């Protein structure tokens, strides 16, 4: 360990749940340890007995729990309008086909997003983002995908950039222009994919507006061959890929994401053994989205036990969006992942820290309390990490530290 300087901040008298896999205790718990922070970075976790006598900059959380900042690695946070009336229609027995024919479904959100100003989208997204930050989220992924044309996709990503500038949070923007086929291309989806691959993708990448490319590979989305065409275009530019796959049917999307060394395969309710094996070999993270599973009243659960046996890292995220998962609560997603999918509370915590970081390409810098990692952490008015999973309606957040600064 480097020598401790007088300017380093030492967070002492805390219970550290480091979430480091090399710490044998559950949750990587370290008792009687202190966290040493230098600038934006964690210098070390040291025993209390090693704190230099008379160190001038000590913070005392009075025995509270300290964990890494939470990471929500799959959201659709920027959009216009809402779909509450449509949800009510569904519960009153109106079919999705009828709602869609009336201009509802994803196209309703596309229409609302296209017609909303950037200022309006920013105001709405800020409210949603604040709810996540209030729960201890310090890193969040935000997808485009409700614009489906060059101008509106750029508008969404510019809003995500502005959110990053306005808030003490790390935002990972993702291009999801291949979310659905817009109405104007309904008769020629391949022509829309050409627009995505040849214009939207390279232009917005050149403007540094996103970090990865996503796609909805599904029988109501894009085919595996169309998905591979998108992945080839992204890979040619050195852009990481990920995918919404195996949510409603098994299209082999997870294996395709794995073939291109994708960051994550998300949803994966219909994932088969071949897909699990492919993910295990490529290191692709399985992102579980129990909010959508609950809201859509699905019955097919992701193959958690097979993922566990093959050592596939499992992340958990909110999937916050207006149509299928209107839940801006990562605590609730953790609870749902345990109750509905069979994760243990410790797996749920790994899913919103180190595995979520891995799903965003930040596995070497985020999601653990260890030397060299970014100093994003939370002080909870709690004794044990299970408390946030067990009772999602109670938020024991005491202090939120982002890049070493209490905010």
């Amino acid at each position: 360990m480097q020598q401790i300087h007088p300017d380093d901040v030492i967070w002492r008298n805390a219970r550290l749940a480091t979430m480091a896999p090399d710490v044998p205790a559950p949750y990587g718990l370290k008792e009687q340890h202190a966290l040493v922070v230098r600038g934006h970075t964690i210098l070390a976790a040291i025993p209390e007995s090693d704190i230099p006598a008379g160190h001038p900059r000590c913070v005392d959380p009075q025995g509270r729990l300290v964990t890494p900042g939470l990471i929500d690695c799959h959201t659709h946070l920027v959009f216009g309008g809402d779909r509450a009336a449509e949800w009510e229609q569904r519960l009153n027995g109106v079919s999705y086909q009828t709602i869609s024919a009336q201009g509802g479904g994803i196209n309703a959100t596309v229409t609302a997003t296209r017609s909303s100003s950037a200022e309006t989208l920013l105001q709405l997204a800020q409210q949603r983002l604040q709810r996540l930050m209030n729960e201890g989220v310090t890193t969040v992924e935000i997808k485009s995908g409700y614009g489906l044309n060059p101008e509106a996709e750029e508008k969404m990503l510019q809003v995500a950039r502005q959110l990053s500038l306005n808030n003490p949070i790390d935002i990972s923007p993702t291009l999801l222009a291949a979310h659905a086929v817009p109405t104007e291309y309904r008769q020629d989806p391949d022509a829309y994919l050409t627009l995505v691959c040849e214009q939207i993708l390279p232009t917005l990448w050149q403007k540094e507006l996103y970090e990865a490319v996503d796609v909805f590979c599904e029988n109501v989305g894009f085919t595996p061959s169309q998905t591979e065409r998108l992945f080839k275009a992204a890979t040619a530019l050195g852009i990481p890929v990920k995918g919404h796959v195996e949510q409603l049917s098994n299209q082999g999307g997870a294996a395709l994401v794995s073939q291109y060394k994708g960051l994550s395969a998300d949803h994966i309710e219909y994932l088969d053994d071949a897909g699990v094996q492919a993910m295990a070999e490529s290191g692709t993270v399985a992102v579980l989205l129990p909010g959508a599973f609950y809201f859509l009243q699905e019955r097919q659960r992701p193959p958690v036990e097979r993922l566990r046996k093959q050592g596939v890292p499992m992340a958990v995220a909110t999937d916050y969006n207006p149509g299928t998962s209107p839940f801006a609560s990562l605590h609730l997603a953790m609870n749902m992942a345990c109750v509905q999918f069979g994760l243990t509370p410790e797996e749920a915590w790994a899913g919103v820290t180190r595995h979520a970081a891995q799903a965003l390409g930040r596995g070497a810098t985020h999601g653990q309390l260890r030397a060299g990692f970014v100093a994003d952490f939370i002080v909870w008015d709690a004794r044990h990490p299970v408390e946030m999973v067990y009772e999602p309606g109670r938020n024991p957040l005491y202090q939120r530290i982002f890049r070493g600064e209490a905010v």
Side-chain angles (χ1 to χ4, degrees):
M1 190 194 79
Q2 300 179 52
Q3 185 176 0
I4 296 174
H5 295 167
D7 287 341
D8 296 337
V9 179
I10 300 179
W11 295 73
R12 64 177 306 170
N13 188 24
R15 304 185 74 233
L16 303 183
T18 66
M19 297 310 303
D22 57 344
V23 177
Y27 305 92
L29 274 167
K30 286 187 172 184
E31 305 280 1
Q32 283 86 49
H33 273 65
L35 203 62
V36 184
V37 175
R38 178 173 295 172
H40 294 172
T41 307
I42 295 170
L43 185 69
I46 62 172
E48 285 274 344
S49 57
D50 288 354
I51 297 174
H55 188 79
R57 301 191 67 189
C58 285
V59 180
D60 183 0
Q62 299 178 319
R64 291 181 172 89
L65 179 72
V66 176
T67 73
L70 305 187
I71 300 171
D72 193 350
C73 65
H74 182 130
T75 84
H76 305 254
L77 210 64
V78 176
F79 59 86
D82 67 60
R83 308 248 285 275
E86 177 184 311
W87 180 62
E88 184 177 32
Q89 280 184 287
R90 290 211 310 270
L91 292 180
N92 285 330
V94 181
S95 71
Y96 182 81
Q97 288 78 6
T98 300
I99 292 170
S100 185
Q102 295 170 348
I106 190 173
N107 285 319
T109 301
V110 171
T111 299
T113 302
R114 286 179 176 180
S115 62
S116 296
S117 67
E119 292 74 20
T120 297
L121 292 175
L122 181 63
Q123 181 183 17
L124 293 170
Q126 177 63 49
Q127 296 169 9
R128 300 163 191 148
L129 183 64
Q130 190 63 54
R131 287 154 64 190
L132 291 174
M133 290 194 295
N134 289 347
E135 281 199 346
V137 173
T138 55
T139 300
V140 62
E141 188 248 25
I142 297 179
K143 302 177 190 295
S144 68
Y146 291 124
L148 307 187
N149 66 31
E151 299 75 24
E153 287 291 299
E154 179 169 359
K155 179 173 63 175
M156 292 183 71
L157 292 171
Q158 290 286 6
V159 168
R161 172 179 283 179
Q162 193 60 47
L163 286 170
S164 181
L165 295 173
N166 292 355
N167 294 277
I169 193 165
D170 186 12
I171 290 179
S172 174
T174 295
L175 179 70
L176 181 56
H179 193 190
V181 178
T183 53
E184 61 269 28
Y185 282 92
R186 185 171 291 163
Q187 303 306 316
D188 195 356
D190 285 326
Y192 175 63
L193 200 64
T194 297
L195 176 70
V196 172
C197 292
E198 297 183 4
Q199 183 176 338
I200 298 176
L201 185 148
T203 300
L204 301 187
W205 180 248
Q206 190 172 19
K207 293 182 179 183
E208 299 182 344
L209 284 174
Y210 65 91
E211 296 179 351
V213 168
D214 200 347
V215 57
F216 186 35
C217 178
E218 191 50 79
N219 53 20
V220 294
F222 293 88
T223 67
S225 61
Q226 290 170 331
T227 297
E228 184 161 27
R229 184 181 166 200
L230 178 71
F231 284 176
K232 285 180 177 178
T235 302
L237 293 174
I239 307 171
V241 301
K242 59 179 75 172
H244 288 60
V245 296
E246 270 75 270
Q247 180 184 8
L248 306 172
S249 63
N250 181 11
Q251 301 289 310
L256 190 57
V257 171
S258 301
Q259 180 184 330
Y260 284 84
K261 307 298 182 187
L263 291 170
S264 68
D266 303 31
H267 287 290
I268 60 169
E269 281 88 338
Y270 286 82
L271 183 66
D272 60 13
D273 288 343
V276 173
Q277 184 64 35
M279 292 175 67
E281 292 173 359
S282 66
T284 298
V285 177
V287 178
L288 307 180
L289 305 171
F293 177 90
Y294 161 84
F295 200 69
L296 293 172
Q297 302 180 64
E298 296 289 350
R299 295 291 179 265
Q300 177 78 23
R301 291 176 173 81
V304 165
E305 185 56 37
R306 281 178 283 166
L307 292 165
R308 189 183 283 141
K309 284 182 178 178
Q310 291 289 336
V312 177
M314 293 180 285
V316 176
T318 63
D319 191 18
Y320 185 86
N321 74 79
T324 63
S325 189
F327 308 115
S329 171
L330 197 52
H331 295 193
L332 179 60
M334 295 164 75
N335 178 276
M336 287 179 169
C338 293
V339 173
Q340 298 187 128
F341 293 166
L343 266 64
T344 67
E346 186 176 4
E347 286 174 329
W349 263 98
V352 299
T353 54
R354 68 173 186 266
H355 292 162
Q358 192 176 337
L360 297 180
R362 287 164 163 77
T365 54
H366 290 68
Q368 299 178 51
L369 302 181
R370 66 188 306 158
F373 278 55
V374 174
D376 293 349
F377 55 94
I378 306 298
V379 181
W380 305 95
D381 199 4
R383 289 289 299 168
H384 196 278
V386 76
E387 294 177 42
M388 280 64 82
V389 186
Y390 160 71
E391 192 178 359
R394 180 178 78 88
N395 182 9
L397 187 143
Y398 180 77
Q399 206 166 19
R400 184 174 175 276
I401 291 80
F402 178 69
R403 296 180 184 170
E405 297 289 332
V407 292

